[in-house]
Amino acid sequence: MSAKVWLVGAGPGDPELLTLKAVRALREADVVLIDDLVNDAVLEHCPGARIIPVGKRGGCRSTPQAFIHRLMLRYARQGKCVVRLKGGDPCIFGRGGEEAQWLRERGIEVELVNGITAGLAGATQCDIPLTLRGVARGVTLVTAHTQDDSSLNWQALAQGGTTLVIYMGVAKLSEIREQLLAGAMAADTPVAMIENASLPHQRECRSNLMAMEEDACAFELKSPAILVIGAVAANAISSCGSEPAREEALSIDINVGSQRA
Ligand code: SAH
């Protein structure tokens, strides 16, 4: 039997943000290994599968990565269809790359399926466009959490002119503020902190670079949360397109569309 492991992104939480391909993989699954940021509601697509939680929170404090690797390998070698379901996207701070490589080195076929990463979903849920003409020419996704001694080039991040989306930053707010200020980012740079993005209990705290630690503390911001730092964090899409020129352009598009139809 062909051994295959799907490394699938479950998106940020809202089950409607799951891709059709993820749903297909779940329907085919015999075994599903889930991380703890995965919303259980998505498991309705695999009612017959064996579900194995391998997350690092909750009841199972820390499942060693080597154990997860061996579990996937064992089931795949038994000819089972294995889905490794991860929060957000499997390859954005999700170890999808490492797991795919480890399995392929052992002759296991791997298919990766994108999920909507929390940083994109969090911003969109708050009507924040991560790139915006004339305001932000790009977006940089970074994690504030490292397991080695490597450090980010904060100065480059502070001066890069892109929107910063920071994962795993709740416990590092003080360091993030200090480093970005030291890198000459303006103290009044807008910040949005989005907790439990896309879930019914989503909460959103707007602040700025100087005040974000105190504001997060008063707000009792908890993980999982995303930080969006940059001029766009002051915007909502609804307030961005209000100039007359844009409205005019939009009505021209609509007319052209209706003529074609
Ligand atoms: N692979 C995941 C990221 C895993 S790292 C993805 O692509 O989204 C875990 C971090 O992701 C959390 O500490 C938090 O910063 C962020 N995160 C995950 N789900 C989130 C959610 N629903 N709302 C806000 N942040 C979330």
Side-chain angles (χ1 to χ4, degrees):
M1 269 191 248
S2 71
K4 181 164 176 179
V5 176
W6 296 77
L7 295 178
V8 178
D14 177 353
E16 285 194 318
L17 292 177
L18 207 57
T19 66
L20 293 175
K21 198 161 186 175
V23 169
R24 180 160 70 81
L26 286 170
R27 284 203 183 122
E28 288 176 19
D30 299 306
V31 183
V32 181
L33 277 66
I34 55 163
D35 274 351
D36 37 31
L37 283 177
V38 172
N39 185 349
D40 284 348
V42 305
L43 300 177
E44 72 170 71
H45 299 291
C46 53
R50 177 164 185 202
I51 310 294
I52 306 177
V54 291
K56 294 184 171 53
R57 302 174 191 206
C60 195
R61 256 174 60 90
S62 177
T63 308
Q65 190 64 29
F67 176 78
I68 298 173
H69 283 168
R70 285 201 302 273
L71 210 54
M72 290 190 287
L73 184 65
R74 190 173 82 198
Y75 283 117
R77 285 193 171 151
Q78 288 172 4
K80 300 262 195 308
C81 177
V82 181
V83 168
R84 169 82 170 104
L85 192 60
K86 292 163 175 284
D89 185 273
C91 293
I92 302 288
F93 311 124
R95 296 191 160 196
E98 291 170 41
E99 291 181 6
Q101 185 184 350
W102 192 90
L103 290 163
R104 285 182 180 138
E105 281 168 3
R106 283 151 187 86
I108 305 294
E109 187 189 341
V110 175
E111 184 159 347
L112 287 152
V113 180
N114 281 123
I116 297 181
T117 190
L120 304 191
T124 303
Q125 294 297 317
C126 298
D127 282 350
I128 296 170
L130 289 175
T131 67
L132 187 62
R133 230 163 5 123
V135 179
R137 299 181 56 167
V139 50
T140 307
L141 310 185
V142 293
T143 173
H145 178 82
T146 51
Q147 283 180 336
D148 51 31
D149 283 337
S150 65
S151 66
L152 291 164
N153 183 343
W154 287 102
Q155 191 163 4
L157 292 173
Q159 296 175 14
T162 66
T163 304
L164 298 185
V165 176
I166 304 187
Y167 292 67
M168 293 174 259
V170 175
K172 302 267 182 170
L173 291 172
S174 171
E175 182 189 341
I176 293 166
R177 170 170 72 176
E178 192 183 313
Q179 296 283 3
L180 290 175
L181 287 172
M185 184 181 268
D188 62 353
T189 303
V191 175
M193 297 175 268
I194 306 123
E195 180 186 292
N196 287 307
S198 85
L199 288 160
H201 47 294
Q202 171 177 309
R203 296 195 310 148
E204 172 197 346
C205 174
R206 302 275 183 145
S207 181
N208 61 45
L209 184 59
M210 185 54 95
M212 70 178 190
E213 192 185 357
E214 289 73 21
D215 286 348
C217 188
F219 187 79
E220 297 185 9
L221 183 76
K222 300 215 170 47
S223 181
I226 284 290
L227 316 181
V228 178
I229 305 180
V232 293
N235 286 332
I237 289 169
S238 51
S239 65
C240 294
S242 53
E243 325 102 71
R246 284 210 187 183
E247 280 166 17
E248 212 171 277
L250 190 64
S251 69
I252 291 167
D253 284 344
I254 291 166
N255 289 339
V256 169
S258 59
Q259 273 164 21
R260 277 197 198 128

Coordinates of all heavy atoms in Angstrom, one line a residue, residues 147-190:
Q147 N 14.2 29.2 19.8 CA 14.7 28.1 20.8 C 16.2 28.1 20.8 O 16.8 27.5 21.7 CB 14.2 26.8 20.3 CG 12.7 26.6 20.7 CD 12.1 25.3 20.3 OE1 12.5 24.7 19.4 NE2 11.1 25.0 21.0
D148 N 16.8 28.9 19.9 CA 18.3 29.0 19.9 C 18.7 30.4 20.4 O 17.8 31.1 20.8 CB 18.9 28.6 18.6 CG 18.3 29.4 17.5 OD1 17.8 30.6 17.7 OD2 18.2 28.9 16.3
D149 N 19.9 30.8 20.2 CA 20.3 32.1 20.6 C 20.2 33.1 19.5 O 20.7 34.3 19.7 CB 21.7 32.1 21.2 CG 21.8 31.5 22.6 OD1 20.7 31.5 23.2 OD2 22.8 31.0 23.0
S150 N 19.7 32.7 18.4 CA 19.6 33.7 17.2 C 18.7 34.8 17.6 O 17.8 34.7 18.3 CB 19.1 32.9 16.0 OG 17.8 32.6 16.2
S151 N 19.1 36.0 17.0 CA 18.2 37.2 17.2 C 17.9 37.8 15.9 O 18.6 37.6 14.9 CB 18.9 38.2 18.2 OG 20.0 38.7 17.5
L152 N 16.7 38.5 15.9 CA 16.3 39.1 14.7 C 17.1 40.4 14.4 O 17.6 41.0 15.4 CB 14.8 39.5 14.9 CG 13.8 38.4 14.9 CD1 12.5 38.9 15.5 CD2 13.6 37.8 13.5
N153 N 17.2 40.8 13.2 CA 17.8 42.1 12.9 C 16.7 43.2 13.1 O 16.0 43.6 12.1 CB 18.3 42.1 11.4 CG 19.0 43.3 11.1 OD1 18.9 44.4 11.8 ND2 19.8 43.3 10.0
W154 N 16.6 43.6 14.3 CA 15.5 44.5 14.7 C 15.6 45.8 13.9 O 14.6 46.5 13.6 CB 15.4 44.7 16.2 CG 14.9 43.6 16.9 CD1 15.7 42.6 17.6 CD2 13.6 43.1 17.0 NE1 14.8 41.7 18.1 CE2 13.6 42.0 17.8 CE3 12.4 43.6 16.6 CZ2 12.4 41.3 18.1 CZ3 11.2 43.0 16.9 CH2 11.2 41.8 17.7
Q155 N 16.8 46.3 13.7 CA 17.0 47.6 13.1 C 16.5 47.5 11.6 O 15.8 48.4 11.2 CB 18.5 47.9 13.0 CG 18.7 49.3 12.6 CD 20.1 49.9 12.9 OE1 20.9 49.1 13.4 NE2 20.3 51.1 12.7
A156 N 16.8 46.4 11.0 CA 16.2 46.2 9.6 C 14.7 46.2 9.6 O 14.0 46.8 8.8 CB 16.8 45.0 9.0
L157 N 14.2 45.5 10.6 CA 12.7 45.4 10.7 C 12.1 46.8 11.0 O 11.0 47.1 10.5 CB 12.3 44.4 11.8 CG 12.6 42.9 11.6 CD1 12.4 42.1 12.8 CD2 11.9 42.4 10.4
A158 N 12.8 47.5 11.9 CA 12.2 48.8 12.3 C 12.2 49.8 11.1 O 11.4 50.7 11.0 CB 13.1 49.4 13.4
Q159 N 13.2 49.6 10.2 CA 13.4 50.6 9.1 C 13.0 50.1 7.8 O 13.2 50.8 6.7 CB 14.8 51.1 9.1 CG 15.2 51.8 10.4 CD 16.6 52.2 10.5 OE1 17.4 52.2 9.5 NE2 17.1 52.6 11.7
G160 N 12.4 48.9 7.7 CA 12.2 48.2 6.4 C 11.0 48.8 5.6 O 10.9 48.5 4.4
G161 N 10.1 49.5 6.3 CA 9.0 50.1 5.6 C 7.9 49.1 5.3 O 6.9 49.4 4.6
T162 N 8.0 47.9 5.9 CA 6.9 46.9 5.6 C 6.1 46.8 6.9 O 6.6 47.2 8.0 CB 7.5 45.5 5.3 OG1 8.2 45.0 6.4 CG2 8.4 45.6 4.1
T163 N 4.9 46.3 6.8 CA 4.1 46.0 8.0 C 4.7 44.8 8.7 O 5.0 43.8 8.0 CB 2.6 45.6 7.5 OG1 2.1 46.7 6.8 CG2 1.8 45.4 8.7
L164 N 4.9 44.9 10.0 CA 5.4 43.7 10.7 C 4.2 42.9 11.3 O 3.4 43.5 12.0 CB 6.3 44.2 11.9 CG 7.5 44.9 11.5 CD1 8.3 45.2 12.8 CD2 8.4 44.2 10.5
V165 N 4.3 41.6 11.1 CA 3.3 40.7 11.7 C 4.1 39.8 12.6 O 4.9 39.0 12.1 CB 2.5 39.9 10.7 CG1 1.6 39.0 11.3 CG2 1.7 40.9 9.8
I166 N 3.8 39.9 13.9 CA 4.7 39.2 14.9 C 3.8 38.0 15.5 O 2.8 38.3 16.1 CB 5.3 40.1 15.9 CG1 6.1 41.2 15.2 CG2 6.2 39.3 16.9 CD1 6.9 42.1 16.1
Y167 N 4.4 36.8 15.4 CA 3.8 35.6 16.0 C 4.5 35.4 17.4 O 5.6 35.7 17.5 CB 4.0 34.4 15.1 CG 3.2 34.4 13.8 CD1 3.5 35.3 12.8 CD2 2.2 33.5 13.6 CE1 2.8 35.3 11.6 CE2 1.5 33.4 12.4 CZ 1.8 34.3 11.4 OH 1.1 34.3 10.2
M168 N 3.7 34.8 18.3 CA 4.3 34.3 19.6 C 4.9 35.5 20.3 O 6.0 35.4 20.9 CB 5.3 33.2 19.4 CG 4.7 31.9 18.9 SD 5.9 30.6 18.4 CE 5.9 30.8 16.7
G169 N 4.3 36.7 20.2 CA 4.9 37.9 20.8 C 4.4 38.3 22.1 O 4.9 39.2 22.8
V170 N 3.3 37.6 22.7 CA 2.6 38.1 23.9 C 3.6 38.3 25.1 O 3.6 39.2 25.8 CB 1.4 37.3 24.2 CG1 0.8 37.7 25.5 CG2 0.4 37.3 23.1
A171 N 4.5 37.3 25.2 CA 5.4 37.3 26.4 C 6.6 38.2 26.1 O 7.5 38.3 26.9 CB 5.8 35.9 26.7
K172 N 6.7 38.7 24.9 CA 7.9 39.4 24.5 C 7.7 40.9 24.2 O 8.5 41.5 23.5 CB 8.5 38.8 23.2 CG 8.8 37.3 23.4 CD 10.2 37.1 23.8 CE 10.6 35.7 23.9 NZ 12.0 35.4 24.1
L173 N 6.5 41.4 24.6 CA 6.2 42.8 24.2 C 7.2 43.8 24.6 O 7.5 44.7 23.9 CB 4.8 43.2 24.8 CG 3.6 42.4 24.3 CD1 2.4 42.7 25.0 CD2 3.4 42.8 22.8
S174 N 7.8 43.6 25.8 CA 8.7 44.6 26.3 C 10.0 44.6 25.4 O 10.4 45.7 25.0 CB 9.1 44.2 27.7 OG 10.1 44.9 28.2
E175 N 10.5 43.4 25.0 CA 11.6 43.3 24.2 C 11.3 43.9 22.8 O 12.2 44.6 22.2 CB 12.1 41.9 24.1 CG 13.3 41.6 23.3 CD 13.6 40.2 23.0 OE1 13.0 39.3 23.7 OE2 14.3 39.9 22.1
I176 N 10.2 43.6 22.3 CA 9.8 44.0 20.9 C 9.8 45.6 20.9 O 10.4 46.2 20.0 CB 8.4 43.4 20.5 CG1 8.5 41.9 20.3 CG2 7.9 44.1 19.2 CD1 7.1 41.2 20.2
R177 N 9.2 46.1 21.9 CA 9.1 47.6 21.9 C 10.5 48.2 22.0 O 10.8 49.1 21.2 CB 8.2 48.1 23.1 CG 8.4 49.6 23.3 CD 7.4 50.1 24.3 NE 7.7 49.7 25.7 CZ 7.0 50.1 26.7 NH1 6.0 50.9 26.6 NH2 7.4 49.8 27.9
E178 N 11.3 47.7 22.9 CA 12.6 48.2 23.2 C 13.5 48.1 21.9 O 14.1 49.1 21.5 CB 13.2 47.4 24.3 CG 14.5 47.9 24.8 CD 15.0 46.9 25.9 OE1 14.3 46.4 26.7 OE2 16.2 46.6 25.8
Q179 N 13.4 47.0 21.2 CA 14.3 46.8 20.1 C 13.8 47.6 18.9 O 14.6 48.2 18.1 CB 14.2 45.3 19.6 CG 14.8 44.3 20.7 CD 16.3 44.4 20.7 OE1 16.9 45.1 19.9 NE2 16.9 43.5 21.5
L180 N 12.5 47.8 18.7 CA 12.0 48.6 17.6 C 12.3 50.1 17.8 O 12.6 50.8 16.9 CB 10.5 48.3 17.3 CG 10.2 46.9 16.7 CD1 8.7 46.7 16.6 CD2 10.9 46.7 15.3
L181 N 12.1 50.5 19.1 CA 12.4 51.9 19.4 C 13.9 52.1 19.2 O 14.3 53.2 18.6 CB 12.0 52.2 20.8 CG 10.5 52.4 21.1 CD1 10.3 52.5 22.6 CD2 9.9 53.6 20.3
A182 N 14.8 51.2 19.6 CA 16.2 51.3 19.4 C 16.6 51.3 17.9 O 17.6 52.0 17.5 CB 16.9 50.2 20.1
G183 N 15.8 50.7 17.1 CA 16.0 50.6 15.7 C 15.4 51.9 15.0 O 15.3 51.9 13.7
A184 N 14.9 52.8 15.7 CA 14.4 54.1 15.2 C 13.0 54.0 14.6 O 12.7 54.8 13.7 CB 15.4 54.8 14.3
M185 N 12.2 53.0 15.0 CA 10.8 53.1 14.6 C 10.1 54.1 15.4 O 10.4 54.3 16.6 CB 10.2 51.7 14.8 CG 8.7 51.7 14.3 SD 8.0 50.1 14.5 CE 8.3 49.2 13.0
A186 N 9.2 54.9 14.8 CA 8.5 56.0 15.5 C 7.7 55.4 16.7 O 7.0 54.4 16.5 CB 7.7 56.8 14.6
A187 N 7.8 56.1 17.8 CA 7.1 55.7 19.0 C 5.5 55.6 18.8 O 4.8 54.9 19.5 CB 7.4 56.6 20.2
D188 N 5.0 56.5 17.9 CA 3.6 56.5 17.7 C 3.1 55.6 16.6 O 2.0 55.7 16.1 CB 3.1 57.9 17.4 CG 3.7 58.5 16.2 OD1 4.6 57.9 15.6 OD2 3.3 59.6 15.8
T189 N 4.0 54.7 16.1 CA 3.6 53.7 15.1 C 2.4 52.9 15.6 O 2.5 52.3 16.7 CB 4.8 52.7 14.7 OG1 5.9 53.5 14.3 CG2 4.4 51.8 13.6
P190 N 1.4 52.8 14.8 CA 0.2 52.1 15.2 C 0.4 50.6 15.4 O 1.2 50.0 14.6 CB -0.8 52.3 14.1 CG -0.4 53.5 13.4 CD 1.1 53.5 13.5

